[in-house]
Amino acid sequence: MTTDLHNPDRRGFLKCMTWAGSAMVWTVAGGIPRSHVIGQAEAAETGFSFAQVSDSHLGFDKPVNANVAGTFQEALGHVTSMADKPAFLIHTGDITHLSTAEQFDTGAQLLTATKLQTYTVPGEHDILEDNGKSYLNRYGKGTHGDGWYSFNAQGVHFIGLVNVVNLQGNGLGDLGNAQLEWLEKDVKGLPSSTPIVVFAHVPLWIVYQDWGWGTKDGGQALSYLKRFGSVTVLNGHIHQVMQKIEGQVAFHTARSTAFPQGVPGVAKGPGPYPVPAGELKNFLGTARISLVSTKSPLAIVDTPLAG
Amino acid sequence: MKTLRSLLNGRRDLLQSRAVRSGLLLACLLLPAIARSDDSAQLKIDNFKFGPEKLTITKGTQVTWTNQDDIPHSIVLNALGVRSKALDTDKTFSYQFDKAGTFAYICGLHPFMHGQVVVK
Ligand SMILES: [Cu+2]
């Protein structure tokens, strides 16, 4: 377990945090991280890219955003209208707000309309009914345990993890032993040069302990990935962009397509963060991840809905 | 008697779920055995905190949690094997504590939220 993950330099990640405004591209070339704000024209890298959407919270209807289906659809529209169409879509959880059949139906409808293959992992809001069966009935096919799995695309090994089940009093996300054992085996035969993308709902690193923004055994999971030259970790849950680099591991959280949440240590709590009407779409958005080359890792561009 | 008084008070929340309704029925049938069952206590959930965080009650008291946040929460009393459904805004969950002891609980969605009910 890397101690760094459990004692993150808080000033470090807070500095990296970005709320709104321009897209941000983020590349790690030869292990040296570079991050800068860019215009959208610079975003295109190579032929292969995929998009990340997160926290659509379908069914949420409070004043900060009374039309979450609309903003989710708009975000998906941004993805499908890109000139260089992403190969597929990853949804990092909280598809629904309350796990109802109706909310899952809306999600399926909007996702299907993109005609893009979609990979999902559940958020805690997706497993509120029947011990998570309402999620697994729709998205559990071919997965293990509570819905974890892996697949390969364009030489990249993708791993979807579930860290929202059986949460305990320590307040953090939890992968559990069965999943950790599976992960260790899953990557065992892979050459160390394989780029790895791990995606899960709750951040795998400790973003902010007081609000449960982290995963208790995330460090254990990442210890199995130490030998790989390029590891990209994509998360949701915190409804804002945060990035951090630890050695060869690049961490990134996506915006929500539904509503923003406050900045840790600044806002009074982790709930929906009220923003002035008309500014909401600066706080919602999508991420596009491009493979620069199989040797030097992935570029991430976060795009707000507005702008 | 609790049920009557509750009804008279128009406590809609108590009648919300079938489970609670049958609980009330049970309470009526067992009434002679629970001498101090006429107490009820309120707990609120506000800004990801249970209030009060520590609640002391007497045996037989029914505790009702009300979610005042615009995000759902749930009540997980692990020691008693009790798990509420997710409570959206203004929804309630009630549980009657019939055993003495100290019962810690968390929110199943936000397990950094801690509360404690002390039953004397
Ligand atoms: Cu909660």
Side-chain angles (χ1 to χ4, degrees), chain A residues 12-27:
Chain A
F13 73 69
L14 287 175
K15 219 166 34 194
C16 288
M17 192 169 68
T18 166
W19 263 92
S22 322
M24 177 173 263
V25 75
W26 194 66
T27 56

Side-chain angles (χ1 to χ4, degrees), chain A residues 60 62 97-98 125 128-129 167-169 171 210-212 259 268-272, chain B residues 47-49 69-72 78 83 85-86 88-89 106 108-112 114:
Chain A
F60 177 87
K62 301 301 181 290
H97 195 54
L98 291 167
H125 287 258
L128 296 175
E129 294 290 326
L167 302 181
Q168 301 299 317
D210 290 1
W211 291 355
F259 55 87
K268 75 178 170 91
Chain B
N47 188 29
F48 293 76
K49 286 189 184 71
D69 274 343
D70 46 11
I71 277 290
N78 270 327
R83 247 191 127 87
K85 287 186 66 133
D88 205 356
T89 310
I106 58 173
L109 280 91
H110 313 101
F112 60 90
H114 290 264

